Amino acid sequence: MALIVHKYGGTSMGSTERIKNVAARVAKWHDAGHQVVVVPSAMSGETNRLIGLAKEIMGQPDPRELDMICATGEQVSVGLLAMALLAIGKDAVSYAGWQVAIKTDSSFTKARIQSIDDKKVRADLDAGKVVIITGFQGVDEDGNISTLGRGGSDTSAVAIAAALKADECLIYTDVDGVYTTDPRVVSEARRLKTVTFEEMLEMASLGSKVLQSRSVEFAGNYRVPTRVLSSLTDPLLPLQEEANSGTLISFEEDKNMEQAVISGIAFNRDEAKITILGVPDKPGVAFHILGPVAEANIEVDMIIQNQSVDGKTDFTFTVSRGEYQKAMGVLDGVKADIGAASVMGDAKVSKVSVVGVGMRSHVGVASRMFRTLSEEGINILMISTSEIKISVLIDEKYMELAVRALHKAFDLEKE
Ligand code: ADP
Ligand code: ASP
Ligand code: MG
């Protein structure tokens, strides 16, 4: 007997028919003698619908109230799934995040999980029940409902698996695993049987939304065996076959395997670039610009500072597009304080990244990447690198072209 956590995304929970399929799949695992905890997302489109309603009332929704609204999507899902299980004779019980409790900090709309109480869940599992817990939501220390950011149900599932020391966390979704890049953008993308934790973390944080990056962090920190697989197969597929399908996140590099130089390409459409022109170049410049941005709880990603000319420099950084207006507002306030000439922004940029642990032992990845982009006539606006990734910022209209060209240039369609 093993303890398994299943996570089902929005498409997998998209209709009552699909929810019945999820119930049949969960029942199959339970019938095989396993303890099962299920973490579903809201039905597809529901979170967007709720955010839309909020925006009709308040252009920039109040974060606490927005979480109050958005958390309801998952609450409907858990109730429906519990009923679907009860209807086929399985004992099941659903809980909202605050009932477990899944404690988070108070950063509404992007809260972080701090602790999970496993008592109630364990007691139910020991009593033979399937336990269903809302994804995406938690509760802060004052009892306010919080949410974990878009795609946050992945993080709920892996964190719950970590807290319960589950044997495996299975992330069921609308693709049958992690691919070399988004198969919806490159039809030749190839499914990876395994992906190292480090690569998965880079891909997720660079925009591959198949997993929320914090879920990968949890998987790594707590060594949770995590697999991404399809929820759209026949729910009665033999269990062994299902258990070995999809993509496993591995924690060791397979030394026997010839390591590919690049494992995948990630992209993020939702980027924005901000430049502060004519800043006096003296100690503390970066701090005086980015300090207030951080205080406003805005995450900064790529940063460059130009060579100074006549004691003045230009300073450029990127933020996610959703925070662009807020960041511009903050900088308008600090522009005069730091003596800058002007602030310029561009919210139509995207980031494309090549990722692979093989980069450590191979040279020439950057030159191949830049040559490919230049052959396509794509201008690079910013570059950032780490040991296992190279990212470029480009005009958003070239993003898909860049991803396709790089996928080909690095032979990713080949086994
Ligand atoms: P869920 O609702 O199940 O959480 P998501 O839409 O959040 O599903 O994530 C699955 C989607 O991630 C896929 O449909 C696919 O378009 C996208 N995706 C992006 N990058 C990748 C990748 N490298 N491999 C597989 N899917 C990817
Ligand atoms: N329902 C939430 C969202 O749409 C969480 C999730 O799907 O993981 O972002
Ligand atoms: Mg998702």
Side-chain angles (χ1 to χ4, degrees):
M1 182 186 76
L3 199 170
I4 313 282
V5 174
H6 284 198
K7 181 261 170 176
Y8 292 90
T11 312
S12 319
M13 295 290 293
S15 63
T16 48
E17 232 18 71
R18 291 246 165 102
I19 292 175
K20 287 180 194 170
N21 274 343
V22 169
R25 198 180 295 279
V26 169
K28 174 180 75 184
W29 282 79
H30 196 258
D31 288 341
H34 301 304
Q35 294 188 319
V36 189
V37 176
V38 190
V39 181
S41 297
M43 295 170 80
S44 59
E46 180 61 7
T47 310
N48 286 346
R49 188 185 74 87
L50 294 167
I51 294 173
L53 286 177
K55 286 190 171 163
E56 280 176 29
I57 303 271
M58 195 177 186
Q60 294 266 2
D62 177 82
R64 180 193 180 276
E65 302 310 327
L66 186 60
D67 279 0
M68 190 68 156
I69 296 163
C70 285
T72 61
E74 271 67 14
Q75 200 167 319
V76 172
S77 286
V78 290
L80 288 174
L81 181 56
M83 284 198 248
L85 281 158
L86 292 169
I88 55 170
K90 275 279 162 210
D91 202 2
V93 59
S94 69
Y95 293 115
W98 61 269
Q99 291 176 303
V100 171
I102 298 175
K103 292 266 173 66
T104 72
D105 64 18
S106 305
S107 307
F108 299 113
T109 75
K110 48 182 175 187
R112 282 181 177 269
I113 295 177
Q114 291 175 330
S115 66
I116 297 178
D117 187 349
D118 66 349
K119 273 199 289 303
K120 204 179 327 200
V121 180
R122 278 195 193 284
D124 287 330
L125 289 174
D126 291 342
K129 292 181 191 177
V130 174
V131 181
I132 307 165
I133 304 172
T134 48
F136 183 52
Q137 57 163 270
V139 61
D140 78 358
E141 62 174 356
D142 299 320
N144 300 300
I145 289 175
S146 56
T147 71
L148 310 180
R150 299 307 305 269
S153 298
D154 298 329
T155 303
S156 307
V158 182
I160 288 167
L164 292 168
K165 300 189 178 60
D167 295 282
E168 197 161 7
C169 182
L170 302 179
I171 309 278
Y172 288 90
T173 183
D174 57 5
V175 278
D176 63 352
V178 177
Y179 279 67
T180 46
T181 192
D182 189 339
R184 292 182 211 287
V185 170
V186 180
S187 55
E188 295 81 21
R190 188 170 45 83
R191 182 171 61 82
L192 302 165
K193 281 207 177 71
T194 62
V195 59
T196 68
F197 151 72
E198 280 176 289
E199 287 169 328
M200 193 64 242
L201 186 59
E202 285 283 13
M203 289 198 21
S205 31
L206 294 167
S208 299
K209 71 166 188 162
V210 60
L211 286 177
Q212 199 197 36
S213 60
R214 281 186 195 161
S215 71
V216 188
E217 274 170 35
F218 266 103
N221 290 345
Y222 297 93
R223 292 283 162 137
V224 181
T226 303
R227 183 182 290 275
V228 177
L229 66 171
S230 174
S231 71
L232 304 177
T233 55
D234 178 357
L236 300 179
L237 187 72
L239 193 133
Q240 263 325 305
E241 197 178 319
E242 186 169 311
N244 290 311
S245 66
T247 303
L248 181 70
I249 299 180
S250 66
F251 297 105
E252 310 265 322
E253 281 174 45
D254 188 342
K255 301 276 186 263
N256 299 320
M257 285 235 309
E258 175 73 37
Q259 184 64 57
V261 185
I262 295 300
S263 300
I265 298 175
F267 55 83
N268 188 5
R269 299 174 206 271
D270 300 322
E271 301 272 338
K273 174 170 81 97
I274 298 175
T275 303
I276 303 103
L277 295 154
V279 188
D281 193 6
K282 55 184 189 204
V285 172
F287 170 68
H288 283 112
I289 295 171
L290 296 182
V293 176
E295 262 166 47
N297 207 5
I298 299 170
E299 251 177 73
V300 168
D301 179 20
M302 300 166 116
I303 303 173
I304 46 169
Q305 184 178 334
N306 287 358
Q307 192 79 28
S308 81
V309 177
D310 300 332
K312 301 263 183 179
T313 184
D314 301 334
F315 191 90
T316 304
F317 62 92
T318 62
V319 296
S320 78
R321 211 174 281 177
E323 301 199 298
Y324 172 65
Q325 289 302 343
K326 191 170 160 197
M328 289 296 269
V330 170
L331 288 172
D332 271 344
V334 295
K335 191 174 84 182
D337 296 347
I338 58 174
S342 59
V343 180
M344 254 169 45
D346 182 355
K348 293 199 162 158
V349 290
S350 296
K351 184 168 67 176
V352 176
S353 311
V354 297
V355 177
V357 290
M359 248 187 248
R360 291 195 180 115
S361 50
H362 289 81
V363 292
V365 175
S367 69
R368 199 189 312 182
M369 182 179 194
F370 301 154
R371 188 179 61 224
T372 306
L373 296 172
S374 103
E375 281 167 3
E376 297 294 338
I378 300 171
N379 191 29
I380 299 172
L381 307 171
M382 287 173 92
I383 301 170
S384 76
T385 63
S386 79
E387 214 189 353
I388 65 162
K389 74 113 201 269
I390 303 171
S391 301
V392 294
L393 195 74
I394 59 174
D395 190 323
E396 70 170 6
K397 64 174 180 274
Y398 299 122
M399 197 211 71
E400 296 201 357
L401 173 65
V403 174
R404 286 199 198 96
L406 291 168
H407 198 269
K408 203 165 173 39
F410 285 99
D411 288 330
L412 287 177
E413 72 279 11
K414 298 193 188 120
E415 198 68 55

